[in-house]
């Protein structure tokens, strides 16, 4: 007989579960772990999660409040996901009540009903299958609709609309009994177009990978698929997923960025039709709820999504793919600082299914796990289309005059590629017009008042913007320091390059692709459409362009400033640069036309630039792994970072010192634990607050975690100062 006291997870930044009373009328019904409840909290009503019945020995305090409402009959998350939430909370040292909210789409978090809205799907009838198309001669749109459905198999009304078939047309076909309505449940599981899949003959490298992975369905094995750009990694996991779907199981495919969703979705839909869904923040609440509920019911074979999709319930999950596994976007860098890749690995372990990590530039962490045998390494060395990898050409800038960052030679090469009807990609990882605004007479520089950073000059509309806190200001007309009125724009940004190239190559379109130019919904999609047309043009872009895209007509990639990053203060700097340069280079020469990469650099002799020029990422990363091993930095030790921020740097520092004092009194602080700090963060002042940090390193994850647990008991003390905001980052990816 369940008691009347229950423990509830409430989305507040506190570690404990909260005790509530169940009203008499509801006591007979046994609550299932994971159901949503409405509970009073302070003077608010919050959506909590029922966790368990309180221990019967718990004293009955009069102060316990009654729950207001039980929102779900059945728990929306299964046991494996509740366990995953519990593990994530302990691993990342973040309150479970907040962690669990990540497992729900926004509308369920707000307490809305978990009701699945069926969309309409259409299917050709037997009559429609054999119907003589010439009879529809006078109804071309009906004819088109019927042909499409015959070719593509069953489709949703929405997909049909995307093909230009209206609902009127569909209703007319329906009246003629040529097509019929079906529900998503009736949409055949194996709706994939076998012929389309079998058309491509896999390369032998691809074959080996597919065999290896599909041989491990049902086991919690991790694969690292290291394949050069364009080697057909996607093709490999498409095949594996097809086998999985044949067994009635589903796949979750994580991608690093929303920008990659349309391309991935299109490719999957070609094969699996409407049993593919994608989940990301560009979808509205309703759409996200439907995908979430559909996935939970097993109505989708494949869910493609960004970081937070790792938490989506799937009825019979058979495999998780993490595409571009090295990408930093998989790590959330605020609040709940989780890595979707690492959570995927643990989820797979709990569900006893394989995980496939894929990348042309694997992370140091994954590569070293592959080298030490924890993961199985699968390698694709050849491009699937038979195209060669692009050749690298260093361009020594020493002593050369540059025009807006371009050497004469690079400009000539761009011109000749365009004249040969090819596309060119220019890479610079800095958006905006110029780095900063400088007074010509006294050297004053536009500085952000809120950060230790310059403000970037933007044109169209012209303004200054800080890229760290996004604070905006109009351009100065008078120097605040010497009252002169002549300024210079210092340094290059994508906008400036776009301007310059537009003037230089007037006959050709220049598309700038960065987070500013793609802010509007669908703008990125529209750019991709233009690129797909294949006409000669210049792409100017930041790292957004480096990721996973397939641009068959790009034959030349120009990297304006290969040196930035190599000399970064972060020990991950060189790994990042190598990944970025290899990835952006991989956009060149992906199909018939050979590709070339020109790297402008001032330090051609730098050993890391030299390695990169060989185009051999694997050797490069192995050297970095050796370095990390010799310095015992991650992944050869484990790292937890404690950061403190406040309006006064000394407060942040002193708070961290008191944390260290507390830790130093503990037995847990053994010789194996190394502490670094308190030190100001790389950018101490950001958005008006001063940030300091302490790092804890250990060769034992377990002892580091015990220590962090112990630290939490100090951090959450009620007497703790409210003037300092602190955060714990487990496996941090940057020193910022
Ligand atoms: P990656 O994911 O490694 O970048 P993709 O899977 O996108 O590579 O493949 C790159 C290109 O090669 C795509 O156009 C794809 O259709 C094509 N491709 C992949 N595998 C094969 C194959 N076995 N035969 C012919 N073309 C292939
Ligand atoms: Zn001045
Ligand atoms: Zn700022």
């Amino acid at each position: 007989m369940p008691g009347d006291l229950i423990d509830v997870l409430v989305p507040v930044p506190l570690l404990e579960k909260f005790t509530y009373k169940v009203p008499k009328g509801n006591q007979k019904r046994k609550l299932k772990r994971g159901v949503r409840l409405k509970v009073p909290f302070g003077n608010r009503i919050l959506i909590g999660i029922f966790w368990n019945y309180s221990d019967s020995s718990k004293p009955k305090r009069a102060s316990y409040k009654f729950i207001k409402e039980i929102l779900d009959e059945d728990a929306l998350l299964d046991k494996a996901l509740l366990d995953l939430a519990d593990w994530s909370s302990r691993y990342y040292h973040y309150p479970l009540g907040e962690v669990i909210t990540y497992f729900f789409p926004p509308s369920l978090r707000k307490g809305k009903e978990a009701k699945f809205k069926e969309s309409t799907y259409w299917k050709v009838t037997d009559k429609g299958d054999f119907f003589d198309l010439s009879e529809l001669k006078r109804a071309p749109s009906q004819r088109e609709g019927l042909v499409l459905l015959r070719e593509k198999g069953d489709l949703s009304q929405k997909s049909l609309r995307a093909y230009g078939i209206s609902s009127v047309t569909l209703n007319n076909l329906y009246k003629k009994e040529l097509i019929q309505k079906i529900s998503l449940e009736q949409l055949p599981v194996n709706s994939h177009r076998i012929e389309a899949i079998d058309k491509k003959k896999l390369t032998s490298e691809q074959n080996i990978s597919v065999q290896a992975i599909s041989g491990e369905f049902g086991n919690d094995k991790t694969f690292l698929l290291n394949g050069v750009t364009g080697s057909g990694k996607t093709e490999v996991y498409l095949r594996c997923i097809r086998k999985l779907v044949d067994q009635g199981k589903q796949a979750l495919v994580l991608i690093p960025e929303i920008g990659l969703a349309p391309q991935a979705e299109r490719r999957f839909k070609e094969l699996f039709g409407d049993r593919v869904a994608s989940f990301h923040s560009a979808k509205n609440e309703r759409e996200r709820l439907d995908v979430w509920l559909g996935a939970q019911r097993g109505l989708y074979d494949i869910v493609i999504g960004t970081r937070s999709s790792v938490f989506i319930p799937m009825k019979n999950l058979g495999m998780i793919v993490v595409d571009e596994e090295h990408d930093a976007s998989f790590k959330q860098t605020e609040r709940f600082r989780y890595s979707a890749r690492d959570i995927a690995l643990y989820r797979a372990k709990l569900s006893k299914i394989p995980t496939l990590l894929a990348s042309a530039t694997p992370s140091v962490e994954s590569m070293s796990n592959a080298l030490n045998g924890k993961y199985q390494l699968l390698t694709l060395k050849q491009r699937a289309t038979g195209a060669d990898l692009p050749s690298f050409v260093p361009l020594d800038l020493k002593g050369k005059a540059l025009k807006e960052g371009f050497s004469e030679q690079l400009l000539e090469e761009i011109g000749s590629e365009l004249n040969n009807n090819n596309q060119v990609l220019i890479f610079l990882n800095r958006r905006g017009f110029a780095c900063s605004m400088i007074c010509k007479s006294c050297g004053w520089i536009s500085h952000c008042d809120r950060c230790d950073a310059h403000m970037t000059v933007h044109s169209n509309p012209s303004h200054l913007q800080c890229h760290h806190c996004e604070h905006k200001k109009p351009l100065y007309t008078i120097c605040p320091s010497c009252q002169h009125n002549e300024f210079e724009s210092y340094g290059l940004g994508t906008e400036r390059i776009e301007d310059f190239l537009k003037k230089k190559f007037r006959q050709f379109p220049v598309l700038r692709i960065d987070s500013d130019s793609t802010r509007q919904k669908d703008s990125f999609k529209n750019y991709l459409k233009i690129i797909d047309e294949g006409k000669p043009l210049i792409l100017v872009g930041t790292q957004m362009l480096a990721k996973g895209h397939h641009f068959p007509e790009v034959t030349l990639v120009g990297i304006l400033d290969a040196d930035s990053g190599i000399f970064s203060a972060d020990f991950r700097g060189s790994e990042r640069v190598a990944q970025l340069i290899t990835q952006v280079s991989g956009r060149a020469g992906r199909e018939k036309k050979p590709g070339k990469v020109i790297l402008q650099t001032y330090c051609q002799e730098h050993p890391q630039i030299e390695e990169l020029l060989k185009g051999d990422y694997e050797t490069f990363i192995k050297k970095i792994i050796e370095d990390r091993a010799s310095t015992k930095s991650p992944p050869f030790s484990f790292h937890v970072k404690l950061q403190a921020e406040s309006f006064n740097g000394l407060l942040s520092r002193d708070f961290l010192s008191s944390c260290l004092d507390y830790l130093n009194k503990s037995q847990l602080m053994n010789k194996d634990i190394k502490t670094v700090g308190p030190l100001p963060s790389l950018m101490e002042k950001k958005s008006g607050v001063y940030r300091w940090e302490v790092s804890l390193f250990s060769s034992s994850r377990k002892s580091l975690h015990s220590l962090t647990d112990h630290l939490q008991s100090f951090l959450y003390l009620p007497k703790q100062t409210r003037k300092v905001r602190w955060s714990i980052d487990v496996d941090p990816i940057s020193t910022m």
Side-chain angles (χ1 to χ4, degrees):
M1 179 71 191
D4 64 339
L5 288 186
I6 58 172
D7 295 337
V8 177
L9 304 180
V10 182
V12 292
L14 292 169
L15 286 181
E16 66 261 45
K17 299 177 182 81
F18 294 86
T19 305
Y20 284 91
K21 285 189 286 197
V22 181
K24 277 262 172 321
N26 278 322
Q27 278 180 23
K28 278 199 209 87
R29 187 165 138 200
K30 191 165 181 336
L31 289 174
K32 297 213 174 88
R33 190 168 167 226
V35 298
R36 293 175 304 149
L37 308 168
K38 265 192 189 161
V39 294
F41 192 85
N43 49 12
R44 293 179 294 167
I45 300 287
L46 296 179
I47 307 300
I49 304 292
F50 167 71
W51 197 249
N52 48 247
Y53 283 97
S54 306
D55 200 333
S56 56
S57 62
K58 191 163 209 154
K60 298 197 174 174
R61 274 194 239 145
S63 60
Y64 292 144
K65 292 182 188 158
F66 281 108
I67 58 168
K68 288 262 179 240
E69 196 182 336
I70 300 167
L71 293 174
D72 304 314
E73 190 65 36
D74 256 320
L76 296 168
L77 303 177
D78 61 13
K79 181 176 180 307
L81 283 181
L82 293 170
D83 289 348
L84 184 67
D86 195 32
W87 175 83
S88 308
S89 160
R90 279 183 283 114
Y91 185 87
Y92 289 104
H93 299 273
Y94 202 71
L96 182 55
E98 300 236 346
V99 166
I100 199 110
T101 62
Y102 283 77
F103 285 70
F104 293 98
S107 60
L108 295 182
R109 241 176 263 164
K110 291 179 193 158
K112 297 213 178 115
E113 198 186 350
K115 199 170 165 200
F116 186 58
K117 190 166 138 255
E118 261 299 351
S119 34
T120 310
Y121 290 81
W122 292 98
K123 176 188 175 65
V124 182
T125 57
D126 287 345
K127 184 177 168 197
D129 261 334
F130 298 101
F131 194 70
D132 184 0
L133 289 175
S134 61
E135 287 185 36
L136 290 175
K137 223 175 354 198
R138 256 174 274 141
S141 54
Q142 288 179 39
R143 185 187 157 122
E144 196 188 330
L146 185 59
V147 170
L148 195 74
L149 275 167
R150 276 185 185 175
E151 266 173 18
K152 301 264 176 199
D154 316 332
L155 285 175
S156 68
Q157 183 130 337
K158 208 170 143 213
S159 295
L160 284 158
R161 203 177 311 132
Y163 283 113
I165 313 293
S166 71
S167 51
V168 178
T169 306
L170 291 168
N171 277 324
N172 286 333
L173 285 168
Y174 178 59
K175 275 184 222 143
K176 292 183 182 147
E177 294 175 353
L178 299 177
I179 62 174
Q180 69 190 76
K181 279 184 200 177
I182 54 171
S183 66
L184 185 52
E185 266 104 342
Q186 292 166 310
L187 201 63
V189 174
N190 300 328
S191 75
H192 46 256
R193 289 85 163 141
I194 311 281
E195 324 79 65
I197 298 185
D198 289 338
K199 216 162 48 194
K200 270 189 211 125
K201 199 168 159 336
L202 291 186
T203 65
S204 63
E205 288 179 327
Q206 284 175 319
N207 238 326
I208 293 170
S209 302
V210 173
Q211 295 308 329
I213 298 161
S214 50
E216 297 287 344
F217 288 165
N219 297 324
D220 64 342
K221 180 153 178 125
T222 308
F223 295 92
L224 175 61
L225 180 61
N226 177 19
V228 298
T229 51
S231 58
K233 294 182 290 297
T234 313
E235 203 63 39
V236 167
Y237 58 78
L238 279 170
R239 299 283 176 127
C240 294
I241 291 174
R242 175 190 160 190
K243 292 190 182 210
L244 201 69
V245 170
D246 282 340
Q247 300 178 9
K249 294 182 193 158
Q250 300 144 1
L252 179 60
V253 179
L254 300 179
I255 54 173
E257 209 177 285
I258 260 187
L260 291 169
Q263 182 185 301
E265 202 177 327
R266 194 170 50 192
R267 200 143 162 208
F268 275 94
K269 283 205 163 171
E270 244 170 59
L271 302 183
F272 299 94
D274 276 330
R275 294 192 58 99
V276 175
S278 64
F279 188 89
H280 47 70
S281 60
K283 302 225 160 207
N284 65 32
E285 275 190 16
R286 178 76 244 176
E287 290 169 325
R288 274 202 266 180
L289 177 63
D290 285 333
V291 170
W292 196 92
L293 290 170
Q296 187 217 33
R297 286 163 201 210
L299 299 182
Y300 295 113
D301 296 329
I302 297 151
V303 175
I304 306 168
T306 45
R307 187 169 63 216
S308 66
S309 316
V310 72
F311 303 115
I312 290 188
M314 308 269 291
K315 192 166 179 200
N316 193 6
L317 184 60
M319 173 159 96
I320 308 180
V321 176
V322 184
D323 199 12
E324 312 289 352
E325 66 85 24
H326 65 280
D327 201 292
S329 327
F330 286 122
K331 171 91 176 173
Q332 178 151 300
T333 50
E334 48 173 34
R335 297 167 62 86
F336 174 28
R337 291 164 162 80
Y338 69 96
S339 151
R341 177 192 63 201
D342 297 347
I343 291 200
L345 290 169
Y346 197 77
R347 180 170 181 182
K349 194 177 150 117
L350 287 177
S351 314
K352 296 201 175 50
I353 56 168
T355 316
L356 176 60
L357 308 177
S359 175
T361 54
S363 61
V364 165
E365 287 79 9
S366 298
M367 196 53 161
S368 70
N369 275 327
L371 295 175
N372 71 26
K374 255 173 96 179
Y375 301 167
Q376 182 173 342
L377 183 63
L378 301 167
T379 311
L380 308 178
K381 286 197 186 309
Q382 311 293 326
R383 279 188 158 174
T385 48
D388 283 329
L389 281 169
S391 54
F392 281 80
V393 184
L395 212 161
D396 194 346
L397 294 182
K398 279 197 256 2
K400 292 219 170 74
L402 300 183
K403 271 188 211 146
E404 299 291 81
F406 288 84
S407 59
E408 197 50 50
Q409 198 178 335
L410 179 53
L411 289 173
E412 275 168 24
E413 299 259 3
I414 296 173
S416 83
E417 290 304 325
L418 292 172
N419 289 323
N420 285 329
N421 278 328
N422 295 323
Q423 298 180 344
V424 173
L425 190 163
I426 302 298
F427 174 75
L428 177 72
N429 211 10
R430 199 179 305 118
R431 64 197 173 93
F433 183 79
C435 302
S436 51
M437 186 175 182
I438 296 187
C439 167
K440 273 190 176 175
S441 78
C442 79
W444 166 93
I445 297 183
S446 57
H447 212 273
C448 177
D449 304 332
R450 303 154 40 107
C451 306
D452 291 330
H454 294 160
M455 288 191 95
T456 306
V457 182
H458 282 252
S459 55
N460 295 325
S462 54
H463 64 277
L464 287 169
Q465 189 179 358
C466 171
H467 286 180
H468 301 280
C469 69
E470 302 300 317
H471 181 60
K472 286 185 190 172
K473 252 187 201 180
L475 292 181
Y476 286 83
T477 46
I478 292 175
C479 171
S481 154
C482 73
Q483 271 73 49
H484 275 81
N485 61 358
E486 276 190 274
F487 295 93
E488 187 138 38
S489 292
Y490 170 78
L492 294 168
T494 45
E495 288 177 15
R496 185 162 180 176
I497 290 172
E498 179 195 12
D499 277 7
F500 171 69
L501 291 172
K502 273 187 174 153
K503 282 182 206 131
K504 177 90 192 161
F505 300 102
R506 281 180 195 285
Q507 333 64 304
F508 299 99
V510 178
L511 303 187
R512 172 169 59 88
I513 300 185
D514 55 28
S515 54
D516 297 313
S517 71
T518 54
R519 198 151 284 163
Q520 255 153 13
K521 205 183 169 200
D522 289 338
S523 54
F524 193 57
K525 251 194 204 168
N526 295 335
Y527 282 130
L528 291 179
K529 246 187 234 153
I530 301 174
I531 301 169
D532 266 352
E533 284 169 18
K535 297 199 189 109
L537 52 80
I538 306 179
L539 300 167
V540 175
T542 57
Q543 52 160 346
M544 266 187 102
L545 273 186
K547 297 185 180 180
H549 296 286
H550 188 60
F551 302 137
E553 300 300 321
V554 170
T555 51
L556 173 65
V557 168
I559 297 175
L560 285 194
D561 179 10
D563 306 334
S564 65
I566 294 275
F567 303 107
S568 126
D570 191 333
F571 72 84
R572 288 184 178 79
S574 48
E575 178 188 358
R576 287 281 143 69
V577 181
Q579 286 165 347
L580 211 49
I581 289 185
T582 311
Q583 289 285 349
V584 75
S585 305
R587 303 311 118 212
R590 288 171 68 93
E591 276 184 8
K592 283 149 225 123
K593 304 172 174 174
K596 180 167 166 181
V597 182
I598 298 183
L599 266 123
Q600 296 196 141
T601 170
Y602 283 102
C603 18
Q604 202 177 323
E605 304 77 29
H606 190 287
Q608 291 192 331
I609 296 272
E610 266 186 349
E611 281 298 332
L612 277 180
L613 286 171
K614 291 189 201 140
D616 181 4
Y617 178 82
E618 198 171 321
T619 312
F620 186 93
I621 206 75
K622 282 182 180 158
K623 285 214 175 112
I624 296 186
I625 292 174
E626 281 169 22
D627 282 353
R628 300 262 190 101
S630 67
T631 55
K632 291 219 164 48
S633 23
F636 297 92
S637 61
F638 301 102
H639 184 190
V640 168
K641 192 168 82 177
L642 176 66
Q643 192 171 52
E645 16 176 274
S646 76
F647 291 101
N648 175 332
L650 294 181
L651 273 181
S652 304
R653 186 199 63 189
D654 293 347
F655 176 78
L656 293 177
S657 300
S658 66
C659 292
L660 274 184
D661 288 345
Y662 177 79
L663 288 180
N664 280 324
K665 280 187 220 128
S666 157
Q667 301 269 333
L668 294 165
M669 197 70 167
N670 55 36
K671 271 206 260 31
D672 182 54
I673 308 264
K674 192 176 118 197
T675 64
V676 178
L679 286 170
S681 300
L682 217 50
M683 181 185 285
E684 184 187 358
K685 186 180 169 199
K686 189 180 169 189
S687 301
V689 296
Y690 292 81
R691 304 156 341 134
W692 281 65
E693 59 194 49
V694 162
S695 280
L696 308 170
F697 294 93
S698 170
S699 63
S700 150
R701 196 186 280 287
K702 205 163 161 240
S703 56
L704 193 57
H705 273 273
S706 313
L707 189 70
T708 314
D709 277 337
H710 179 63
L711 176 63
Q712 272 184 310
S713 55
F714 178 72
L715 293 171
Y716 282 95
L717 283 179
K719 72 168 174 57
Q720 219 51 274
T721 166
R722 305 234 172 262
K723 289 189 187 129
V724 177
R725 240 178 57 187
W726 54 264
S727 59
I728 294 173
D729 194 345
V730 176
D731 309 327
I733 57 162
S734 71
T735 331
M736 281 290 276

